[in-house]
Amino acid sequence: MRRIAFLGASLMLLGVPAHAGDARDISRDTLAPNDGWAAADGGTTGGSTADDAHVFTVRNRGELVRALDGGSATPKIIKIVGTIDANTDDDGDHLDCADYATDGYGTRKYLAAYDPRTWGSAKPAGPQEEARRASAARQAERIELTVGSHTTIVGLGDDAVLKGASLQVKGADNVIIRNLELRDAYDCFPVWQPNTGGLGDWKTAYDNIWLRGATHVWIDHVTVSDKGHPDEKEPTYFGRNHLRHDGLLDITNASDLVTVSWSRFADHDKAMLIGNGDTATGDRGRLRVTLHHNEFESVVQRAPRVRFGQVHLYNNRYVVPVDAHDYRYSLGVSTESGLYAENNAFHTPGRIEVADLVKSWNGTALHQTGTLFNGFPVDLLAIHNAYNSGSERDLTADVGWTPTLHTKIDSAETADRAVARGAGAGRIP
């Protein structure tokens, strides 16, 4: 026993985890009963029934694309080893934005063509916009990766990374994504939208994970961020930050029965959108999502923003760093949303107040209990209503439903410590 302990300590000194050779195989794990909305109506099993011919270990983009099989519904398990860069060619060589640019596109040319002082407020059109679209299509062909039904994607060990990719779970059922870091879904060709927000803004194309019409999805122990290219370091054009990233995880287009657990969302502007539009009435009765034991750190907004869906938000941890330059809100209450928040903990610098945590756009209700704000219990609903500027109606506590599918709900204080230790990729017990 002493010899084993000595060898383990020696491996740690060398930077090799002592458990590296005997890590538990999680690839056939399924979602536990009652673990959130994804456990409803038969549960979520991913690719756990895959035969041996459809269990893949992948180390580069080419292998990953072949394993995904164009988003086929064949049960499959995909194990990611090390770092996979989606911005690579068929030989594995890295591609940058200049490699995708075509038809004479250039950032300076685009800026000159659509400068509001000369172009005005019309939607961009003409040669440079056409060239931008063609260039964007070339990048999308490389980095948009379609995930089909009955698929499990897991990272092996504690250092599996998918870089620059947008995982698209579109119209698929029964998908599991676990133990994986997803970073920097960087858009080389954002489009200028002159009329957005009154002042115009840049719109980007890629979410790290995008669920569109997806059902029965379990996302667990992932880390998602802009690591490598933070938007705050991008230049300002036309008076607006030249954004390069969209959402970290967006759940839209009538997606349903989703559980997101023990994951970390960090260093980003718009983290998580649930429901993509006020007029998307087809989302009614869907967008049922559970978020538990997740950490949102250095996130500006949308953690999450909810339309239509019944969203259970419990035992999550929110951290706004002291040097945060543009915090807006955490919980977005929008059209016909039913957000049921229990025992969540918020850590913020002194300039951010409780009233800043919730923002409502045409929302009507927010259920909240057990909230901690910098270590003190607070009533988010009462404080939001007390400080409501009058631009939105006061929220009621009746969201029209009560969660029944969930794991043990701890106090916010207990969960806060557990999430700080255990959320994110590489931390599955």
Side-chain angles (χ1 to χ4, degrees), residues 13-167:
L13 288 172
L14 291 171
V16 179
H19 62 276
D22 58 358
R24 181 171 67 87
D25 183 1
I26 64 170
S27 65
R28 294 191 185 271
D29 285 1
T30 60
L31 180 66
N34 298 316
D35 192 349
W37 275 116
D41 298 347
T44 301
T45 59
S48 60
T49 62
D51 58 29
D52 290 344
H54 292 92
V55 177
F56 308 95
T57 300
V58 301
R59 295 173 173 81
N60 56 54
R61 179 192 174 279
E63 292 177 349
L64 176 57
V65 168
R66 287 189 290 274
L68 287 168
D69 190 27
S72 78
T74 303
K76 63 184 74 66
I77 293 171
I78 302 172
K79 305 178 184 182
I80 293 179
V81 177
T83 297
I84 292 178
D85 184 356
N87 286 292
T88 51
D89 63 19
D90 291 341
D91 295 324
D93 295 326
H94 179 72
L95 299 171
D96 60 23
C97 294
D99 294 312
Y100 294 122
T102 188
D103 295 349
Y105 175 85
T107 301
R108 291 183 182 275
K109 294 178 183 178
Y110 190 87
L111 294 172
Y114 306 114
D115 188 326
R117 294 172 297 181
T118 54
W119 178 261
S121 60
K123 184 178 179 180
Q128 272 299 300
E129 172 58 14
E130 292 170 5
R132 186 204 64 79
R133 291 183 182 181
S135 302
R138 294 183 70 186
Q139 185 184 20
E141 184 180 4
R142 305 306 297 178
I143 73 171
E144 290 185 346
L145 304 176
T146 302
V147 181
S149 298
H150 312 300
T151 298
T152 292
I153 300 175
V154 298
L156 289 188
D158 56 8
D159 61 353
V161 176
L162 183 54
K163 177 182 176 182
S166 177
L167 288 182

Side-chain angles (χ1 to χ4, degrees), residues 176-231:
I176 295 173
I177 303 172
R178 301 184 73 199
N179 196 42
L180 181 64
E181 179 181 351
L182 300 105
R183 67 170 73 145
D184 193 24
Y186 186 89
D187 186 351
C188 288
F189 308 102
V191 60
W192 174 243
Q193 295 189 322
N195 296 311
T196 299
L199 298 174
D201 208 351
W202 294 97
K203 180 175 175 56
T204 55
Y206 308 116
D207 304 316
N208 292 77
I209 306 175
W210 189 6
L211 310 185
R212 290 185 288 169
T215 53
H216 287 108
V217 179
W218 179 30
I219 296 171
D220 176 69
H221 280 93
V222 301
T223 296
V224 198
S225 76
D226 294 346
K227 186 175 182 178
H229 288 103
D231 278 338

Side-chain angles (χ1 to χ4, degrees), residues 16 29 51 75 101 138 146 149 172 207 222 241 248 264 280 285 298 313 323 364 370 372 374 412:
V16 179
D29 285 1
D51 58 29
R138 294 183 70 186
T146 302
S149 298
D207 304 316
V222 301
N241 184 217
L248 294 178
R264 185 169 183 269
S298 194
L313 183 81
D323 60 353
T364 59
L372 279 186
N374 291 331

Side-chain angles (χ1 to χ4, degrees), residues 383-404:
I383 293 173
H384 169 80
N385 287 341
Y387 284 85
N388 184 6
S389 66
S391 60
E392 288 287 341
R393 75 192 82 178
D394 284 352
L395 301 175
T396 72
D398 183 8
V399 296
W401 73 290
T402 302
T404 58

